[in-house]
Short mmCIF file of all heavy atoms in Angstrom, two decimals:
data_model
loop_
_atom_site.label_atom_id
_atom_site.label_comp_id
_atom_site.label_asym_id
_atom_site.label_seq_id
_atom_site.Cartn_x
_atom_site.Cartn_y
_atom_site.Cartn_z
N THR A 284 90.57 -123.60 66.48
CA THR A 284 91.66 -124.53 66.13
C THR A 284 92.61 -123.87 65.13
O THR A 284 93.81 -124.14 65.13
CB THR A 284 91.10 -125.83 65.54
OG1 THR A 284 90.31 -125.56 64.37
CG2 THR A 284 90.25 -126.57 66.56
N GLY A 285 92.07 -123.00 64.28
CA GLY A 285 92.91 -122.29 63.32
C GLY A 285 93.91 -121.38 64.00
O GLY A 285 95.09 -121.33 63.63
N SER A 286 93.44 -120.67 65.03
CA SER A 286 94.34 -119.79 65.78
C SER A 286 95.42 -120.59 66.51
O SER A 286 96.58 -120.18 66.58
CB SER A 286 93.55 -118.94 66.78
OG SER A 286 92.93 -117.85 66.15
N MET A 287 95.01 -121.74 67.06
CA MET A 287 96.00 -122.62 67.71
C MET A 287 97.09 -123.01 66.72
O MET A 287 98.29 -122.98 67.05
CB MET A 287 95.32 -123.90 68.22
CG MET A 287 94.42 -123.75 69.40
SD MET A 287 93.74 -125.37 69.88
CE MET A 287 92.18 -124.89 70.59
N MET A 288 96.67 -123.39 65.52
CA MET A 288 97.60 -123.81 64.48
C MET A 288 98.56 -122.68 64.10
O MET A 288 99.78 -122.87 64.00
CB MET A 288 96.80 -124.26 63.25
CG MET A 288 97.64 -124.63 62.05
SD MET A 288 98.46 -126.22 62.26
CE MET A 288 99.00 -126.52 60.59
N GLU A 289 98.01 -121.48 63.91
CA GLU A 289 98.84 -120.33 63.51
C GLU A 289 99.85 -119.97 64.59
O GLU A 289 101.01 -119.65 64.30
CB GLU A 289 97.95 -119.12 63.21
CG GLU A 289 96.89 -119.32 62.15
CD GLU A 289 97.43 -119.56 60.76
OE1 GLU A 289 98.66 -119.67 60.58
OE2 GLU A 289 96.62 -119.66 59.83
N VAL A 290 99.42 -120.03 65.84
CA VAL A 290 100.32 -119.69 66.95
C VAL A 290 101.43 -120.73 67.09
O VAL A 290 102.61 -120.39 67.25
CB VAL A 290 99.53 -119.55 68.27
CG1 VAL A 290 100.49 -119.43 69.47
CG2 VAL A 290 98.61 -118.34 68.21
N MET A 291 101.07 -122.01 67.02
CA MET A 291 102.07 -123.08 67.17
C MET A 291 103.09 -123.09 66.04
O MET A 291 104.29 -123.19 66.27
CB MET A 291 101.38 -124.44 67.28
CG MET A 291 100.70 -124.68 68.62
SD MET A 291 100.00 -126.34 68.78
CE MET A 291 101.48 -127.36 68.76
N THR A 292 102.59 -122.96 64.80
CA THR A 292 103.53 -122.94 63.66
C THR A 292 104.36 -121.66 63.67
O THR A 292 105.53 -121.68 63.30
CB THR A 292 102.78 -123.08 62.32
OG1 THR A 292 101.78 -122.05 62.22
CG2 THR A 292 102.13 -124.43 62.18
N GLY A 293 103.74 -120.57 64.11
CA GLY A 293 104.46 -119.30 64.17
C GLY A 293 105.59 -119.34 65.19
O GLY A 293 106.71 -118.87 64.91
N LYS A 294 105.32 -119.91 66.35
CA LYS A 294 106.37 -120.02 67.38
C LYS A 294 107.50 -120.94 66.90
O LYS A 294 108.67 -120.70 67.18
CB LYS A 294 105.78 -120.55 68.68
CG LYS A 294 104.92 -119.52 69.41
CD LYS A 294 104.38 -120.07 70.72
CE LYS A 294 103.59 -119.00 71.47
NZ LYS A 294 103.04 -119.50 72.75
N LEU A 295 107.11 -121.97 66.16
CA LEU A 295 108.11 -122.87 65.60
C LEU A 295 108.99 -122.12 64.60
O LEU A 295 110.23 -122.25 64.62
CB LEU A 295 107.40 -124.04 64.89
CG LEU A 295 108.30 -125.11 64.25
CD1 LEU A 295 109.10 -125.86 65.31
CD2 LEU A 295 107.44 -126.10 63.44
N ALA A 296 108.36 -121.30 63.75
CA ALA A 296 109.11 -120.53 62.75
C ALA A 296 110.02 -119.50 63.41
O ALA A 296 111.15 -119.27 62.96
CB ALA A 296 108.14 -119.84 61.80
N GLU A 297 109.55 -118.88 64.48
CA GLU A 297 110.39 -117.91 65.19
C GLU A 297 111.66 -118.58 65.72
O GLU A 297 112.71 -117.95 65.83
CB GLU A 297 109.61 -117.31 66.37
CG GLU A 297 108.58 -116.29 65.98
CD GLU A 297 107.91 -115.66 67.18
OE1 GLU A 297 107.10 -116.34 67.84
OE2 GLU A 297 108.22 -114.49 67.49
N THR A 298 111.57 -119.85 66.02
CA THR A 298 112.69 -120.59 66.61
C THR A 298 113.65 -121.15 65.58
O THR A 298 114.88 -121.01 65.73
CB THR A 298 112.16 -121.76 67.48
OG1 THR A 298 111.28 -121.24 68.47
CG2 THR A 298 113.30 -122.50 68.15
N ILE A 299 113.11 -121.76 64.50
CA ILE A 299 114.00 -122.49 63.59
C ILE A 299 114.12 -121.93 62.17
O ILE A 299 114.95 -122.42 61.40
CB ILE A 299 113.59 -123.98 63.49
CG1 ILE A 299 112.23 -124.12 62.78
CG2 ILE A 299 113.53 -124.62 64.86
CD1 ILE A 299 111.85 -125.57 62.54
N ALA A 300 113.34 -120.91 61.83
CA ALA A 300 113.45 -120.34 60.48
C ALA A 300 114.83 -119.71 60.29
O ALA A 300 115.40 -119.16 61.22
CB ALA A 300 112.36 -119.31 60.25
N SER A 301 115.34 -119.80 59.06
CA SER A 301 116.66 -119.22 58.76
C SER A 301 116.53 -117.87 58.07
O SER A 301 117.48 -117.09 58.02
CB SER A 301 117.46 -120.18 57.87
OG SER A 301 116.76 -120.45 56.67
N ASN A 302 115.34 -117.57 57.55
CA ASN A 302 115.11 -116.33 56.81
C ASN A 302 114.52 -115.27 57.75
O ASN A 302 113.52 -115.53 58.44
CB ASN A 302 114.16 -116.61 55.65
CG ASN A 302 113.95 -115.42 54.73
OD1 ASN A 302 113.41 -114.41 55.16
ND2 ASN A 302 114.36 -115.56 53.48
N ALA A 303 115.11 -114.08 57.74
CA ALA A 303 114.66 -113.01 58.64
C ALA A 303 113.22 -112.58 58.36
O ALA A 303 112.46 -112.28 59.29
CB ALA A 303 115.59 -111.80 58.51
N ALA A 304 112.84 -112.57 57.08
CA ALA A 304 111.48 -112.18 56.72
C ALA A 304 110.46 -113.19 57.22
O ALA A 304 109.35 -112.83 57.62
CB ALA A 304 111.37 -112.03 55.19
N VAL A 305 110.85 -114.45 57.22
CA VAL A 305 109.97 -115.51 57.71
C VAL A 305 109.78 -115.36 59.22
O VAL A 305 108.67 -115.48 59.74
CB VAL A 305 110.54 -116.91 57.39
CG1 VAL A 305 109.75 -118.00 58.10
CG2 VAL A 305 110.52 -117.15 55.88
N LYS A 306 110.87 -115.08 59.93
CA LYS A 306 110.79 -114.87 61.38
C LYS A 306 109.90 -113.68 61.72
O LYS A 306 109.10 -113.72 62.67
CB LYS A 306 112.19 -114.64 61.95
CG LYS A 306 113.04 -115.90 62.06
CD LYS A 306 114.40 -115.56 62.68
CE LYS A 306 115.25 -116.80 62.88
NZ LYS A 306 114.76 -117.64 63.98
N SER A 307 110.01 -112.61 60.93
CA SER A 307 109.21 -111.41 61.16
C SER A 307 107.72 -111.69 60.91
O SER A 307 106.85 -111.26 61.68
CB SER A 307 109.69 -110.29 60.23
OG SER A 307 108.90 -109.12 60.40
N LEU A 308 107.44 -112.42 59.83
CA LEU A 308 106.07 -112.80 59.51
C LEU A 308 105.49 -113.65 60.64
O LEU A 308 104.35 -113.43 61.09
CB LEU A 308 106.04 -113.59 58.19
CG LEU A 308 104.69 -114.22 57.80
CD1 LEU A 308 103.65 -113.14 57.52
CD2 LEU A 308 104.86 -115.13 56.58
N ALA A 309 106.28 -114.61 61.10
CA ALA A 309 105.83 -115.51 62.16
C ALA A 309 105.52 -114.75 63.44
O ALA A 309 104.51 -115.02 64.11
CB ALA A 309 106.89 -116.57 62.42
N ALA A 310 106.37 -113.78 63.80
CA ALA A 310 106.17 -113.00 65.03
C ALA A 310 104.85 -112.22 64.97
O ALA A 310 104.11 -112.16 65.96
CB ALA A 310 107.34 -112.05 65.24
#
Side-chain angles (χ1 to χ4, degrees):
T284 58
S286 281
M287 288 182 209
M288 176 74 167
E289 303 294 5
V290 171
M291 286 185 66
T292 55
K294 287 182 177 180
L295 181 65
E297 284 184 287
T298 303
I299 68 174
S301 58
N302 186 295
V305 171
K306 285 181 177 288
S307 178
L308 173 66

